[in-house]
Amino acid sequence: MKVSPGLTLALLAQVAAAAPGPAQNSTYYNPVLPGWHSDPSCVHVDGIFYCVTSTFISFPGLPIYASRDLINWKHVSHVWNRESQLPGYSWATVAQQHGMYAATIRYRAGTFYVICEYLGVAGKDAGVLFRTTNPFDDAAWSDALTFPVDKIDPDLFWDDEEDNNNNINNSTRNTNTTDENKAYVATQGIQLQELDLTTGAITRPTSLWNGTGGVWPEGPHLYKKDGYYYLLIAEGGTALDHSITMARLHRLTQRSAPEPAPANPVLTNRGTDSYFQTVGHGDLFQDGAGNWWGMALATRSGPAYKSYPMGREAVLFPVTWRTGEWPVMQPVRGRMSGWPLPPRSRDVPGSGPFNGDPDVYDFPVGEPLPRNLVHWRVPRPGTFTVTEKGLAVVLGRNDLTGWPNDGDPEEGGRAVSFVGRRQTHSLFRFGVDLDFAPREAGQEAGVVAFLTQAAHVQLGVVMGEEGKLSFRFNGTSPDGEATLSEVPAAWAGKPVRLEIEMAEEPTEYTFSAMLAADEGSRVVVGKASAELLSGGSGSFVGTLLGIYATCNGAGSGVDCPSGTPKAYFRRWRYTGIAQYISADEKIPSIVDSLGQEET
Ligand SMILES: *[C@@H]1O[C@H](CO)[C@@H](O)[C@H](O)[C@H]1NC(C)=O
Ligand SMILES: *[C@@H]1O[C@H](CO)[C@@H](O)[C@H](O)[C@H]1NC(C)=O
Ligand SMILES: *[C@@H]1O[C@H](CO)[C@@H](O)[C@H](O)[C@H]1NC(C)=O
Ligand SMILES: *[C@@H]1O[C@H](CO)[C@@H](O)[C@H](O)[C@H]1NC(C)=O
Ligand SMILES: *[C@@H]1O[C@H](CO)[C@@H](O)[C@H](O)[C@H]1NC(C)=O
Ligand SMILES: *[C@@H]1O[C@H](CO)[C@@H](O)[C@H](O)[C@H]1NC(C)=O
């Protein structure tokens, strides 16, 4: 057979391109950790990458995601998973975006450390340091060592960390490196302090760098490489002007003048028309092959920055960092190409769902709530119990806004009965079956797309004054006013399926109801713009999809009247449909035969 030489070459080129080989660069999609995952900080230990993200008032807080391939992220624990680790803080937190700010995760000599600042309890703002030797077990995370710190975003850095090229400039070596119990903590500002990891004693802050002039120099991380201390920070605020800038110093202790990177900002999407905006607040790490990567936050809003209900998500970018030079970071887009990724693998220890996976939860008796379900502050003991009839929820006296106890942080905080999971896909379907027999006016239970107590769209079944059941939906009017519509009389006493979905466009939620036993009875109760759940009172957080139950202020203190029936939820389902990777391009969310999500 005669084949033209040109065609042969083309075929050969195709074969070469398809052949797997260590030298092949990879292609992947951002965000790798979709849904509300702000301020990622990551480490690589023995073939597994670990990231922590900020959680503010939600609880359990500070999730740990583990991955072997940087694409499949398994939710293996929460650093803050027991109220007793930091007693008295959660319920006393007033503002919607206070709580656990941005954390740093680091590993040293068999121990993982997560350092953070808890903000928002009058007179008690505290630096918090947690540690564990087993990040796959909630219970193994220590109580918080608290320390006084007046700035957010603590970093954790031991000065004896050898750079990868083993090329430490001897004259910069701190001679006191053998003290295992001391580490440097850089914070917003950028300030530097030395923390005693045993006692929480901390030295007075000194100024390390003021950044390049953008507002809010914060989110610092220190790296020692090629004889320099490299300082990476976020600048410009966490909205459209966000960026990463860097400086380096010869010495940390007897401060040398910071030398800013000539290419600052070294990473930003400021002033671009990219779908991915607000890129900043990142951390750098190396993979097993020695290649550098970074994770940062980004918002899929486009420059219009109006509709982004998932808030700030975590994106991965390749970094080229040659000896003695500044790191070069690849701009963040939806479709990325860079260093070869480690082979795809879901072989990650521990239990917990992968971030992009569907929820198929039937709440078997004896099992704890699935790990990706979170509350707004620590729930009152006994509010959520798994029973033969499903997940039983004690009605909160407060509605989702915190009323009538919103003036009292303790009572406003703990009398809200809510649990939800992150919206992790641009297009998705979420639904749950509700079995609820309210007896008094105001008793209500339902589903909610929740950003904050001041911004949420809820579809509930509520008992009216006249003893009739209504749907209450509050996404139609921008001032949050609710509309009531009658529940069909034939549905009385039967389980109802309530659904929230975005099936067509990532800009509008559809809320519907049907008899659990008859999908044909489906009625669309209302539609709500995703702009209601973008920014505003929730500019640091992102939408949670979940359930709530309230008696709307009946009773006293934090309790509904005795005899108030519980609401029972069953058949909790969440399915991702698609991810938008640019304003007009979406990729389907398909879980392949390995269970890997194709995103
Ligand atoms: C650093 O100092 C040690 C002795 O303290 C010496 O053995 C080593 O060669 C020095 N390394 C460099 C790169 O100068
Ligand atoms: C080492 O620690 C000692 C005691 O804490 C201190 O006096 C000394 O200044 C430190 N040296 C350096 C180089 O930091
Ligand atoms: C940062 O600014 C403050 C206030 O102007 C100043 O005191 C401090 O020395 C500056 N820090 C550095 C490292 O230049
Ligand atoms: C090592 O440190 C000295 C003193 O701070 C400095 O002059 C020199 O440039 C440094 N060398 C490197 C490679 O960082
Ligand atoms: C592979 O990716 C790295 C990191 O992004 C980049 O520096 C390098 O140029 C890429 N190589 C090729 C052949 O594209
Ligand atoms: C829904 O209603 C509550 C008040 O009940 C309000 O706080 C919330 O903002 C409303 N949601 C929207 C999107 O208007």
Side-chain angles (χ1 to χ4, degrees):
M1 192 174 89
K2 197 160 186 274
V3 181
S4 90
L7 184 55
T8 310
L9 282 178
L11 279 172
L12 281 175
Q14 271 184 30
V15 170
Q24 288 289 325
N25 270 8
S26 60
T27 300
Y28 65 92
Y29 299 108
N30 269 322
V32 293
L33 203 44
W36 167 34
H37 291 108
S38 42
D39 312 310
S41 172
C42 309
V43 281
H44 171 214
V45 181
D46 293 340
I48 300 183
F49 303 90
Y50 301 84
C51 295
V52 64
T53 60
S54 53
T55 45
F56 300 90
I57 205 169
S58 66
F59 182 88
L62 302 177
I64 299 291
Y65 294 94
S67 176
R68 284 193 191 277
D69 57 14
L70 292 167
I71 301 298
N72 287 283
W73 292 93
K74 188 173 182 176
H75 187 170
V76 296
S77 65
H78 280 103
V79 177
W80 190 30
N81 55 77
R82 311 178 296 281
E83 204 271 340
S84 60
Q85 289 170 287
L86 185 64
Y89 275 77
S90 175
W91 288 345
T93 311
V94 183
Q96 295 294 297
Q97 302 197 108
H98 279 167
M100 288 289 181
Y101 267 60
T104 297
I105 184 168
R106 292 293 180 259
Y107 173 84
R108 182 180 164 86
T111 298
F112 290 82
Y113 295 82
V114 168
I115 191 168
C116 191
E117 189 183 15
Y118 196 100
L119 199 70
V121 180
K124 281 172 74 178
D125 288 346
V128 289
L129 178 71
F130 302 91
R131 62 187 101 193
T132 188
T133 52
N134 180 6
F136 301 96
D137 178 11
D138 277 350
W141 282 101
S142 70
D143 291 349
L145 171 76
T146 61
F147 57 92
V149 66
D150 60 352
K151 300 282 183 188
I152 56 168
D153 302 351
D155 179 52
L156 198 59
F157 176 74
W158 288 267
D159 190 21
D160 59 349
E161 271 170 8
E162 296 286 330
D163 65 281
N164 212 57
N165 304 313
N166 223 6
N167 189 25
I168 303 279
N169 184 344
N170 271 6
S171 62
T172 66
R173 202 187 280 273
N174 180 329
T175 55
N176 282 350
T177 53
T178 49
D179 190 348
E180 290 294 317
N181 296 318
K182 289 210 174 137
Y184 285 105
V185 170
T187 59
Q188 189 186 58
I190 303 297
Q191 304 187 150
L192 188 73
Q193 290 163 274
E194 210 177 343
L195 176 67
D196 186 314
L197 304 178
T198 313
T199 63
I202 193 161
T203 59
R204 276 188 43 235
T206 54
S207 171
L208 198 53
W209 188 41
N210 286 317
T212 65
V215 294
W216 301 117
E218 58 192 5
H221 294 300
L222 281 165
Y223 314 92
K224 197 168 188 175
K225 190 176 185 297
D226 313 328
Y228 288 104
Y229 299 91
Y230 282 86
L231 173 62
L232 174 150
I233 72 167
E235 256 192 80
T238 192
L240 291 178
D241 283 344
H242 212 203
S243 66
I244 291 179
T245 58
M246 289 187 81
R248 63 187 183 188
L249 303 97
H250 283 300
R251 292 180 302 277
L252 267 191
T253 38
Q254 308 100 34
R255 212 59 29 81
S256 58
E259 176 197 349
N264 276 333
V266 289
L267 188 72
T268 189
N269 276 0
R270 179 195 298 165
T272 70
D273 61 2
S274 176
Y275 186 52
F276 288 73
Q277 293 286 327
T278 79
V279 173
H281 202 124
D283 197 2
L284 305 180
F285 49 90
Q286 283 172 290
D287 64 21
N291 293 319
W292 285 87
W293 296 88
M295 288 276 267
L297 70 80
T299 308
R300 283 185 280 174
S301 63
Y305 198 49
K306 287 201 167 126
S307 184
Y308 47 97
M310 289 180 281
R312 303 174 303 161
E313 310 177 89
V315 290
L316 176 73
F317 54 93
V319 177
T320 306
W321 199 350
R322 298 202 176 91
T323 306
E325 295 182 11
W326 295 93
V328 177
M329 306 181 190
Q330 196 171 309
V332 170
R333 299 287 183 267
R335 183 179 277 107
M336 301 289 287
S337 136
W339 303 124
L341 285 165
R344 290 291 169 103
S345 168
R346 289 201 140 203
D347 182 17
V348 177
S351 63
F354 282 84
N355 183 59
D357 279 3
D359 290 349
V360 181
Y361 296 153
D362 292 312
F363 305 112
V365 174
E367 301 253 323
L369 282 188
R371 175 160 288 139
N372 60 333
L373 304 194
V374 298
H375 307 279
W376 209 240
R377 303 192 187 86
V378 171
R380 293 175 74 197
T383 302
F384 296 88
T385 49
V386 176
T387 71
E388 298 290 345
K389 291 180 67 182
L391 179 63
V393 182
V394 174
L395 275 57
R397 181 173 180 233
N398 294 343
D399 68 13
L400 283 167
T401 71
W403 178 86
N405 284 314
D406 51 355
D408 179 330
E410 296 268 328
E411 303 206 333
R414 66 187 155 135
V416 175
S417 295
F418 163 80
V419 69
R421 59 107 70 217
R422 288 169 175 80
Q423 178 188 335
T424 48
H425 298 78
S426 313
L427 304 182
F428 70 90
R429 185 168 293 121
F430 168 72
V432 66
D433 288 359
L434 169 67
D435 191 352
F436 181 46
R439 289 197 277 268
E440 303 291 337
Q443 293 174 353
E444 174 178 352
V447 292
V448 61
F450 184 96
L451 186 67
T452 67
Q453 289 181 226
H456 49 265
V457 181
Q458 67 198 82
L459 166 60
V461 172
V462 61
M463 174 69 81
E465 294 292 346
E466 64 304 330
K468 270 207 231 142
L469 281 186
S470 297
F471 292 119
R472 186 211 290 272
F473 176 69
N474 82 333
T476 315
S477 113
D479 57 15
E481 219 159 286
T483 53
L484 293 174
S485 56
E486 246 175 70
V487 173
W491 294 15
K494 297 182 180 151
V496 174
R497 180 164 305 163
L498 300 173
E499 281 187 355
I500 308 175
E501 65 174 23
M502 274 191 185
E504 304 291 335
E505 295 292 332
T507 49
E508 189 179 63
Y509 295 95
T510 299
F511 287 71
S512 42
M514 66 206 80
L515 279 175
D518 176 14
E519 290 194 15
S521 63
R522 178 195 185 96
V523 289
V524 172
V525 183
K527 292 177 185 255
S529 164
E531 288 184 27
L532 294 172
L533 305 181
S534 304
S537 66
S539 55
F540 296 165
V541 298
T543 298
L544 303 170
L545 302 164
I547 58 173
Y548 71 97
T550 174
C551 62
N552 284 302
S556 63
V558 291
D559 295 309
C560 292
S562 64
T564 300
K566 293 180 184 179
Y568 294 87
F569 293 89
R570 267 190 298 219
R571 199 188 173 280
W572 171 297
R573 299 288 185 272
Y574 172 92
T575 312
I577 299 174
Q579 297 287 15
Y580 273 80
I581 57 166
S582 74
D584 49 20
E585 190 182 1
K586 63 181 182 219
I587 52 171
S589 171
I590 299 166
V591 178
D592 71 17
S593 54
L594 278 174
Q596 292 173 351
E597 223 204 351
E598 307 257 290
T599 57

